[in-house]
Amino acid sequence: VGSSSSSSSAAGMLPKVQFETSASLINLTGMTDLTQCSYTIDQTSTPTLSFTHTRPLFSLFHNSASAIVSSDDPDSSTAIGDTILSMDNGSKYGVTIRADIDTLDYEHTRSSKDHIQSVGIKIANSTTGSSAVNPAISEDVYAGIDWSLSHRDIIPRRHKSLPYLCDASQDIIACGGPSWKHSLTSEYRLNGFYTDSKFNPTAGVDSYGGVEVAGPPGDVGFLKCWSGGSIHLPLGDGGGLLGRLVPRGLSLHSAYHCGMIKSLSFGGLCNNGVGNMTNLSDRYYVGGPHQLRGFVPAGIGPRADTGGASVPGGDSVGGDVYYTATGMLSVPFPGNNFLSNNGVRLFGFANAGTLTGLDNAVNVSSFFRSTRVAVGGGISIG
């Protein structure tokens, strides 16, 4: 539990309290399962509630699996539990059942918040992967299938002094309101398994990709695909002609990311609004150091003419198709052995990318003419 205060205004003089509590039950059913529940109230008095139950996938069928051990009937080997255990690393496969209530704050990029209530089930090639909120933080190669049903409510930012008015563009206000999303997602991520470092690689390859289909009984429908990859090639290894011409430890890096979303009506069962557009919460938003260096988060792509007080440049309304491409050179920090030996590197980069609506993407020349470019350099620590 923590508290803080602010003197910026009379209201800010009141203490702001943040509360967090959580509970975990380990091995509740004797199947190395983990049950967790957490409740949080942040400094804006926004509550978050999360419940998860994670266990090995085969344990869902432990009765049939146990029967196999004691049965002389060879036909019983077709039981689901035994089939899972017979797979390579099948005993590591995990399943997580979850329920969440959360509010995602996008007021600094599109003058709105998303209030989400959801339930879901994820099956993955490891128990840690199935329980990870973001598969990119999984410790190993990730492959999984995720089913979810969620109720989402887009809440435009309220005016600071006139709370019955919205402090957002008309584009965001028009997209406000509730929706039901029912989807199935399949995704894989190498998570740096084939590189020398997950967070600051200098050699190896990495990739990820996924597809999500949303449809009935939800009221939004779409097909969403994404992929990305990177190659890291060491050049200055100290050997041969090339090693004598370039600095020791020099590495060449290249990466790409792309994605597409297409709205689907499923014969009118899904109401995607006027023009069968994708939902504001499902579109892509591009920008920031992890996507396109040199641009702020959600800094490129379609925008409204105006925005709320927190988005003076106009609210980002997202896009349906995007790509980014990056080329980079990095070298160990020169002149300081302590820094260079502890993963500190200098780098220079050039990256390009764009985000647009699906209609504009059909015109290839228009799509690439909208590309934004940035060059620069920096220091990385990994």
Side-chain angles (χ1 to χ4, degrees):
V1 180
S3 65
S4 62
S5 62
S6 171
S7 59
S8 60
S9 65
M13 294 297 290
L14 298 175
K16 297 179 180 179
V17 178
Q18 180 173 337
F19 174 80
E20 298 181 18
T21 184
S22 62
S24 300
L25 296 174
I26 301 174
N27 207 28
L28 184 64
T29 65
M31 289 289 176
T32 64
D33 54 286
L34 175 63
T35 303
Q36 294 179 307
C37 184
S38 65
Y39 180 73
T40 302
I41 299 178
D42 68 14
Q43 292 184 349
T44 63
S45 300
T46 301
T48 300
L49 177 64
S50 174
F51 169 84
T52 62
H53 176 75
T54 303
R55 61 193 300 141
L57 180 59
F58 75 87
S59 68
L60 290 179
F61 316 96
H62 66 276
N63 289 332
S64 59
S66 300
I68 293 168
V69 176
S70 60
S71 174
D72 295 328
D73 183 3
D75 293 336
S76 63
S77 62
T78 60
I80 297 176
D82 185 58
T83 301
I84 296 171
L85 287 172
S86 66
M87 297 178 180
D88 290 339
N89 298 315
S91 61
K92 296 182 179 180
Y93 288 14
V95 57
T96 294
I97 302 170
R98 68 182 185 278
D100 300 282
I101 299 176
D102 199 1
T103 300
L104 305 180
D105 189 347
Y106 299 113
E107 290 191 351
H108 291 282
T109 58
R110 55 180 188 260
S111 301
S112 67
K113 294 182 178 180
D114 284 11
H115 181 65
I116 303 174
Q117 304 172 68
S118 66
V119 295
I121 301 174
K122 182 190 290 187
I123 298 174
N125 60 332
S126 68
T127 52
T128 55
S130 70
S131 61
V133 177
N134 181 0
I137 65 176
S138 181
E139 297 179 356
D140 209 337
V141 175
Y142 169 86
I145 298 176
D146 188 359
W147 169 86
S148 67
L149 176 65
S150 58
H151 178 268
R152 309 174 300 175
D153 192 3
I154 299 175
I155 306 171
R157 175 187 170 98
R158 294 297 177 180
H159 195 279
K160 185 176 182 180
S161 57
L162 301 172
Y164 52 86
L165 294 179
C166 291
D167 182 23
S169 65
Q170 289 299 317
D171 301 72
I172 299 299
I173 296 173
C175 293
S179 65
W180 282 94
K181 175 184 171 183
H182 174 255
S183 71
L184 186 66
T185 303
S186 177
E187 185 175 13
Y188 86 91
R189 288 182 176 269
L190 295 183
N191 285 330
F193 186 79
Y194 296 104
T195 63
D196 59 345
S197 171
K198 179 177 180 179
F199 300 106
N200 201 6
T202 60
V205 296
D206 198 15
S207 71
Y208 69 90
V211 59
E212 179 181 13
V213 179
D219 54 20
V220 296
F222 61 81
L223 171 65
K224 189 174 187 179
C225 306
W226 59 92
S227 71
S230 60
I231 299 176
H232 311 275
L233 181 63
L235 300 178
D237 59 1
L241 177 61
L242 183 62
R244 293 193 296 270
L245 295 177
V246 302
R248 180 179 294 273
L250 179 71
S251 289
L252 172 66
H253 315 265
S254 63
Y256 83 93
H257 308 276
C258 62
M260 181 275 293
I261 180 171
K262 175 72 170 66
S263 62
L264 303 172
S265 65
F266 290 93
L269 295 176
C270 294
N271 179 17
N272 290 320
V274 179
N276 198 32
M277 296 177 61
T278 51
N279 189 280
L280 184 73
S281 300
D282 299 317
R283 299 171 191 166
Y284 289 106
Y285 298 86
V286 177
H290 297 293
Q291 287 185 308
L292 194 64
R293 291 184 175 92
F295 298 91
V296 298
I300 70 169
R303 311 191 75 83
D305 294 333
T306 60
S310 57
V311 194
D315 290 325
S316 173
V317 295
D320 299 327
V321 183
Y322 86 96
Y323 88 91
T324 65
T326 301
M328 187 169 70
L329 289 170
S330 72
V331 66
F333 196 90
N336 190 306
N337 290 333
F338 176 79
L339 294 179
S340 62
N341 292 334
N342 284 276
V344 180
R345 300 178 68 85
L346 297 179
F347 68 87
F349 71 87
N351 57 196
T354 190
L355 170 69
T356 185
L358 191 56
D359 291 340
N360 292 334
V362 175
N363 187 328
V364 177
S365 63
S366 175
F367 177 69
F368 284 104
R369 280 201 305 268
S370 66
T371 292
R372 309 292 295 274
V373 179
V375 296
I379 300 175
S380 63
I381 303 174

